[in-house]
Amino acid sequence: MSTGTLRQDLELANWTSGTVNSAGTGATMAMGRGEATRERILAITEAAVLAKGFGATSIEEVIAEAGITKSGFFYHFRDKNELARALLQRYMERDDALLDDVFARGRELATDPLNGFLVGLKLLAETMADLPGGHPGCLVATYAYQERLFDRGVCELNQHIVFHWRARFRTLLEEIVEHSETKEPVDLDALADMVSTVIEGGLVLGRATGDPNILPKQLMLLRSYIKLLFEPATSAVH
């Protein structure tokens, strides 16, 4: 397992919790011993899963990397499916924290929902561009391609996260529609899915090409599309 990949995962955890590295270290120190061990298991496993897939990640290697016993691992996770669920839940919580933060800041800096959404997308692009080595990848996509490895509960949770993204972005788009007219009819569910598709596609292309700048650039192109779709020609967004 690459220590560089684990480092990227921990950097991402700090970004998505809205803290800098020093604050993240303080939070870890404040954890109980059991909580800290559980978090370390999850961080190590996520880095390995994003690097080579869930099927190729063994409990034994996680135990060795974490420096714990097998009984210590099973104290926290009954089996690999329970570990998979915990990883997904943790991923969703961090993802929510990041998106809540950038779009809340965007709304604070703007005078209306459209400008707030545009600023939020720009902040998200900047956040992704600032991650050392780029974003390490998406667990949801990884799980989707290996769903035969998981029980029904894990697969349903993975699907729930995708629908959760749709609902999140649709809510923001509905606020825009209340204050702006589209230049052509638009399916808000499809448009909300487009936001997720750009993010997921940018992650995949960035990983395939080794170019971490693809995702930020795609987010800025999405921003331009949303701006053209909703904004009157006489208006300007700075």
Side-chain angles (χ1 to χ4, degrees):
M1 182 185 307
S2 166
T3 57
T5 303
L6 177 56
R7 191 179 303 113
Q8 290 174 12
D9 175 74
L10 295 176
E11 290 284 354
L12 179 62
N14 284 337
W15 272 108
T16 53
S17 63
T19 62
V20 294
N21 287 342
S22 59
T25 302
T28 300
M29 292 175 64
M31 286 182 181
R33 184 175 178 181
E35 289 179 281
T37 299
R38 187 178 191 275
E39 176 60 24
R40 179 160 174 76
I41 292 170
L42 289 170
I44 290 169
T45 306
E46 181 174 328
V49 169
L50 290 174
K52 60 186 178 180
F54 198 85
T57 300
S58 69
I59 291 176
E60 288 71 22
E61 72 177 276
V62 173
I63 289 171
E65 182 77 17
I68 60 175
T69 64
K70 183 171 286 191
S71 62
F73 174 89
F74 286 113
Y75 172 81
H76 294 283
F77 305 103
R78 181 179 54 204
D79 53 31
K80 284 189 76 175
N81 272 294
E82 186 169 308
L83 175 61
R85 277 191 294 277
L87 277 176
L88 269 185
Q89 189 65 45
R90 174 177 177 267
Y91 185 86
M92 183 172 69
E93 290 170 357
R94 293 187 308 165
D95 189 67
D96 279 345
L98 172 61
L99 295 176
D100 285 347
D101 177 59
V102 295
F103 286 105
R105 284 193 286 145
R107 194 66 185 89
E108 290 173 0
L109 294 169
T111 56
D112 60 80
L114 173 59
N115 280 299
F117 192 69
L118 297 178
V119 173
L121 286 174
K122 185 175 182 180
L123 290 171
L124 182 59
E126 291 173 350
T127 299
M128 294 298 102
D130 286 342
L131 286 173
H135 194 293
C138 176
L139 279 180
V140 173
T142 300
Y143 278 38
Y145 282 105
Q146 302 181 62
E147 60 181 12
R148 287 182 295 177
L149 298 175
F150 307 115
D151 64 20
R152 182 176 178 180
V154 173
C155 293
E156 288 179 347
L157 177 57
N158 208 39
Q159 184 183 67
H160 166 75
I161 293 174
V162 174
F163 290 142
H164 177 67
W165 288 340
R166 176 188 291 174
R168 164 189 287 280
F169 293 123
R170 182 184 172 104
T171 297
L172 295 174
L173 292 168
E174 286 174 343
E175 292 176 359
I176 295 173
V177 169
E178 289 178 4
H179 295 82
S180 308
E181 292 184 4
T182 59
K183 294 183 178 179
E184 58 184 67
V186 60
D187 181 330
L188 291 185
D189 278 342
L191 187 57
D193 286 342
M194 182 181 180
V195 180
S196 299
T197 300
V198 167
I199 295 172
E200 294 301 301
L203 289 174
V204 171
L205 291 178
R207 180 71 174 269
T209 62
D211 182 0
N213 293 315
I214 287 180
L215 175 56
K217 289 179 179 178
Q218 289 297 308
L219 284 167
M220 291 306 291
L221 284 172
L222 172 65
R223 179 182 182 274
S224 295
Y225 173 74
I226 297 293
K227 179 178 175 180
L228 290 170
L229 182 63
F230 287 102
E231 187 180 54
T234 56
S235 175
V237 176
H238 300 287

